[in-house]
Amino acid sequence: MGTVTLGVSIAVPEPYGSIVQERRAGFGDPAAHSIPTHVTLLPPTEVDASALPAIEAHLATVAAAGRPFPMRLSGTGTFRPLSPVVFIQVVEGTSACAWLQQRVRDASGPLVRELQFPYHPHVTVAHGIAEEAMDRAYEELSEYEAQWSCTSFALYEQGADLVWRKLHEYAFGGGGETSSLPSQSTPADRPAVHP
């Protein structure tokens, strides 16, 4: 049956997701259109494809125990020089993200793994590109603001083309699969956006 590469994340909803994705592309990041704008809960993890049903059941259990929470993004940060990443900071919702990622990777579940770095919720806007472009991303998004109510997270699979595609979305409180997050290429809601 082979292996698959999975990730678990909170999608940044529209119109924010597409805006950040376009800005990331504008900074010259070739991965911009392969990765939906998100806050990671489980980084790319290779698993046996036969484990998918157990993984999906585990994530449904994690979601059932969760509750919606406010998320707010504000300003930029960087992991340089340790890692070539510029990101938008999560300034509200960090403890809920930390709680979720810990449960996703719980030792009793099928997604146990160690992290390369301590968990730090963020939204990547530049990764592994020229230093000048990283500096530009850091400066140009330094006053970026977005906020929404986080009501779910999703399971993604990376295809052979390196594009990440959503497999399932899990609503908090045991609501099952949800479709509340539109595709990043088709904005549905238009709340006020601050560049």
Side-chain angles (χ1 to χ4, degrees):
M1 200 172 199
T3 61
V4 291
T5 300
L6 302 178
V8 179
S9 63
I10 294 169
V12 174
E14 296 302 346
Y16 310 122
S18 289
I19 291 169
V20 171
Q21 196 172 43
E22 289 305 316
R23 295 301 303 270
R24 184 171 179 174
F27 298 131
D29 190 328
H33 291 294
S34 302
I35 306 171
T37 308
H38 68 283
V39 175
T40 299
L41 298 176
L42 176 77
T45 302
E46 190 172 310
V47 300
D48 193 297
S50 65
L52 269 174
I55 289 168
E56 291 171 354
H58 169 64
L59 294 177
T61 300
V62 172
R67 296 292 175 265
F69 59 91
M71 284 279 283
R72 186 163 70 89
L73 309 178
S74 181
T76 50
T78 183
F79 294 132
R80 296 184 292 176
L82 191 59
S83 182
V85 173
V86 171
F87 57 85
I88 297 173
Q89 299 186 73
V90 175
V91 297
E92 186 175 3
T94 54
S95 60
C97 289
W99 182 89
L100 282 168
Q101 67 88 28
Q102 188 64 51
R103 266 112 199 117
V104 167
R105 296 185 303 106
D106 190 82
S108 66
L111 291 171
V112 179
R113 67 160 289 174
E114 292 298 316
L115 298 179
Q116 185 178 358
F117 301 106
Y119 182 71
H120 184 276
H122 63 280
V123 176
T124 298
V125 293
H127 181 212
I129 58 176
E131 286 296 320
E132 300 77 23
M134 302 269 273
D135 292 341
R136 195 161 60 88
Y138 187 88
E139 290 300 322
E140 290 183 14
L141 293 173
S142 64
E143 295 184 19
Y144 183 86
E145 297 278 340
Q147 61 184 29
W148 69 94
S149 177
C150 180
T151 58
S152 65
F153 62 83
L155 173 66
Y156 291 82
E157 180 180 353
Q158 187 179 39
D161 56 1
L162 303 183
V163 174
W164 287 90
R165 293 176 179 86
K166 182 168 64 175
L167 295 180
H168 295 285
E169 191 168 329
Y170 300 91
F172 295 136
E177 190 159 338
T178 176
S179 58
S180 63
L181 295 176
S183 162
Q184 289 190 24
S185 60
T186 313
D189 298 320
R190 293 278 180 193
V193 179
H194 305 285

